[in-house]
């Protein structure tokens, strides 16, 4: 299919965020929504996600995003006619310092007030959940039984399929190389296949969001940072299911994927790239060291593969969602860091409301694109697990 000449909204990026927005816009009756994806749908950083879904966030808006998204994953088959592979394996955080526990207690109070089920466990209780754990150096575990995982590819493809059924056009292999417009208004996009004009242009370019922002003359603080995940050969010595378990002190996390164990060192590395993240096999050593400390039996497992992806981080770990400052017609849905997959259902809904109704029904001030101009306090979240 060729590039349409116009659209009611054009979305740059066919990852989980762009496809969810397209679906929600189309579901709300927006006609002629177009998604332009430079490679293939879901082939960007969405394809690297661990699929984790948690209510355990530190800010009310993000907890609400999670609770709403979990409801969508629970009834996903009914809404999308596709199995997202959703399972409630839970999230378990392991805390080794009283300071960490105090920080978690504050957020647990918030999470519970909002209706989330989050519990503080003794180290022995944590070991009962995951018998392979070493717990003698821990002060507590924090367990979210509502948390879980689903398949990023399944979910993204389901959004895309439903969006198309509802009339949206999703084109692959179309790279947006420039934005059209003048006098502070963006009026469409330019590609090698031609130009497309639209009153609304949405930046959903994931790790390449800053590059797309520069096409509008904006400096967006979206910083792609590499993270690795390795997997073992089938390892029944750690029987599943196990929660997605994070060692807060080292950043290491693991979960089971069928018979294999997925292991991440929790690395955060600037490799100067925003599209591709080559693997560094040198990271295996660090991963195994952290893993063996927490899961001594893993010493007997063999690492059989792995991958790396770019997490689109922002200075305060919160996404950037809203109209771009000083650029009419240009909307930002970027900087989702390690939680863009799990928050995609709520993101799509509220962005569609914002674009179609003039405002979202939930206060999204936490994601205000202008907050960095004001020099908002920067705070990295230790529990930003994935
Ligand atoms: C190792 C790892 C583990 C993770 N684990 C989790 C997890 O457990 N749970 C979770 O919720 N999240 C997780 N994440 C984060 C999650 O993957 C991201 O937050 C999410 O996928 C971002 O989605 P996106 O649609 O914004 O980005 P993308 O999937 O990257 O989509 C953006 C798309 O835009 C396209 N694009 C870019 N520039 C252009 C252009 N100029 N023209 C046209 N198209 C363009 C790209 O090709 C890409 O497909 C993880 C990430 C990594 C790296």
């Amino acid at each position: 299919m060729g590039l349409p000449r116009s659209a009611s909204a054009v979305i740059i990026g066919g990852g989980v965020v762009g496809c969810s927005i397209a679906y929600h816009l189309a579901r709300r009756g927006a006609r002629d929504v177009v998604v332009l994806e430079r490679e293939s749908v879901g082939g960007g950083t969405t394809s690297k996600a661990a699929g984790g879904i948690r209510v355990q966030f530190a800010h009310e808006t993000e907890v609400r995003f999670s609770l709403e998204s979990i409801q969508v994953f629970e009834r996903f088959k009914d809404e999308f006619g596709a199995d997202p592979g959703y399972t409630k394996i839970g999230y378990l955080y392991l805390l080794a310092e009283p300071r960490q526990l105090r920080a978690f207690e504050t957020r647990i109070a918030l999470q519970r007030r909002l209706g989330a089920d989050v519990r503080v466990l003794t180290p022995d209780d944590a070991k009962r959940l995951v018998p392979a754990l070493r717990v003698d150096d821990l002060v507590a575990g924090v367990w979210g039984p509502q948390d879980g995982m689903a398949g990023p590819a399944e979910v993204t493809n389901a959004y895309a399929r439903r969006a198309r059924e509802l009339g949206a056009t999703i084109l692959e292999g179309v790279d947006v190389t420039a934005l059209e417009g003048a006098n502070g208004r963006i009026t469409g996009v330019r590609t090698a296949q031609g130009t497309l004009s639209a009153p609304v242009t949405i930046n959903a370019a994931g790790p390449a969001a800053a590059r797309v922002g520069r096409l509008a003359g904006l400096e967006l603080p979206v910083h792609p940072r590499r993270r690795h995940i390795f997997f073992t050969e089938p390892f029944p010595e750690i029987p599943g299911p196990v929660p997605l378990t994070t060692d807060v002190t080292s950043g290491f996390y693991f979960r089971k994927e069928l018979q294999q164990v997925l292991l991440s060192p929790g690395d955060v590395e600037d490799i100067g790239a925003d599209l591709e993240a080559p693997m560094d096999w040198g990271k295996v050593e660090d991963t195994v060291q952290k893993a063996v400390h927490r899961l001594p039996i893993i010493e007997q497992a063999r690492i059989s593969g792995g991958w790396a992806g770019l997490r689109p981080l922002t200075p305060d770990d919160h996404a950037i969602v809203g109209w771009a400052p000083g650029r009419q017609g240009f909307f930002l849905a970027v900087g989702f860091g390690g939680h863009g997959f799990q928050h995609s259902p709520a993101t799509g809904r509220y962005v569609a409301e914002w674009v179609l109704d003039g405002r979202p029904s939930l206060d999204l001030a936490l994601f205000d694109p202008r907050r960095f101009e004001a020099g908002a306090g920067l705070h990295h979240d230790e529990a930003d697990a994935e």
Side-chain angles (χ1 to χ4, degrees):
M1 187 190 215
L3 186 76
R5 293 170 63 93
S6 64
S8 61
V10 59
I11 299 166
I12 305 169
V16 73
V17 172
C19 290
S20 177
I21 295 170
Y23 162 68
H24 281 89
L25 283 171
R27 193 175 84 147
R28 288 281 316 273
R31 296 166 63 98
D32 307 325
V33 172
V34 174
V35 179
L36 301 179
E37 165 53 50
R38 60 186 291 279
E39 296 219 324
S40 55
V41 163
T45 207
T46 296
S47 65
K48 314 294 183 181
I53 300 161
R54 60 182 156 109
V55 289
Q56 300 192 54
F57 281 85
H59 289 265
E60 176 162 345
T61 314
E62 287 167 334
V63 177
R64 289 193 186 283
F65 261 49
S66 296
L67 289 168
E68 181 171 331
S69 294
I70 286 172
Q71 283 183 1
V72 174
F73 289 121
E74 281 172 343
R75 57 176 163 73
F76 201 86
K77 278 188 209 162
D78 297 336
E79 187 169 348
F80 294 93
D83 182 355
Y86 175 58
T87 45
K88 286 196 182 198
I89 54 172
Y91 263 55
L92 175 63
Y93 289 98
L94 304 174
L95 313 180
E97 297 169 31
R99 168 189 73 79
Q100 294 167 341
L101 181 55
R102 282 195 297 277
F104 267 74
E105 278 168 350
T106 308
R107 52 198 289 159
I108 291 169
L110 167 78
Q111 291 154 1
R112 287 195 181 144
R113 180 169 65 74
L114 296 172
D117 182 2
V118 184
R119 309 169 195 178
V120 177
L121 305 182
T122 64
D124 286 343
D125 284 341
K127 194 169 172 65
R128 270 187 276 280
L129 272 180
V130 187
L133 285 178
R134 174 187 165 192
V135 298
D136 61 341
D137 59 343
L138 298 180
V139 296
V142 177
W143 161 237
Q146 265 176 308
D147 298 337
M149 54 173 259
E154 290 82 347
V155 169
T156 308
N157 289 335
Y159 291 147
R161 191 174 339 102
R162 270 283 188 270
R164 282 181 166 127
E165 285 168 7
L166 292 165
T169 301
I170 301 178
L171 297 177
E172 300 179 301
V174 180
D175 191 1
V176 171
T177 53
L179 298 181
E180 299 279 299
N183 304 324
R185 176 178 284 280
I186 302 299
T187 57
V189 301
R190 203 179 313 156
T191 76
Q193 287 88 335
T195 60
L196 181 155
S197 63
V200 176
T201 298
I202 300 176
N203 180 353
R211 181 195 294 244
V212 169
R214 279 193 291 275
L215 300 178
L218 294 172
E219 280 304 322
L220 301 178
V222 177
H223 308 297
R225 295 292 182 262
R226 180 170 66 179
R227 171 155 295 181
H228 287 80
I229 296 182
F230 297 97
F231 52 89
T232 65
E233 287 183 347
F235 194 64
E237 287 79 356
I238 299 180
V242 292
L244 195 154
T245 303
T246 301
D247 193 343
V248 171
T249 303
S250 71
F252 162 74
Y253 73 85
F254 70 96
R255 70 164 172 83
K256 280 212 86 168
E257 176 79 28
L258 302 174
Q259 284 302 306
Q260 296 158 304
V261 186
L262 298 191
L263 310 163
S264 174
D267 48 336
V268 182
E269 192 181 2
D270 181 4
I271 56 165
D274 63 357
L275 294 174
E276 298 294 332
M279 267 192 76
D280 174 2
W281 278 99
K283 297 285 179 209
V284 170
E285 204 181 307
D286 178 41
T287 309
V288 169
Q289 203 174 29
K290 290 174 175 174
V292 169
H293 173 77
R294 192 49 66 205
L295 283 172
I297 198 171
I298 206 82
E299 207 167 19
Q300 298 170 20
R302 265 177 60 97
I303 302 280
S304 62
W307 69 85
L310 296 167
R311 297 184 314 143
L313 302 185
T314 64
D316 61 3
D317 289 336
H318 304 304
I320 299 174
V321 182
W323 292 105
R327 302 292 184 281
Q328 285 182 43
F330 192 39
F331 197 94
L332 308 173
V334 299
F336 287 91
H339 46 268
F341 162 66
Q342 61 196 285
H343 281 173
S344 63
T347 301
R349 173 180 157 198
Y350 292 115
V351 170
E353 286 180 359
W354 206 330
V355 167
L356 299 176
D357 305 335
R359 58 194 289 259
S361 58
L362 182 70
D363 178 0
L364 300 189
L366 184 69
F367 307 139
D368 186 352
R370 291 183 188 272
R371 69 188 185 276
F372 302 107
E373 293 168 12
L378 305 183
H379 169 73
H380 284 286
D381 185 357
E382 279 187 307
D384 196 7
E386 311 85 3

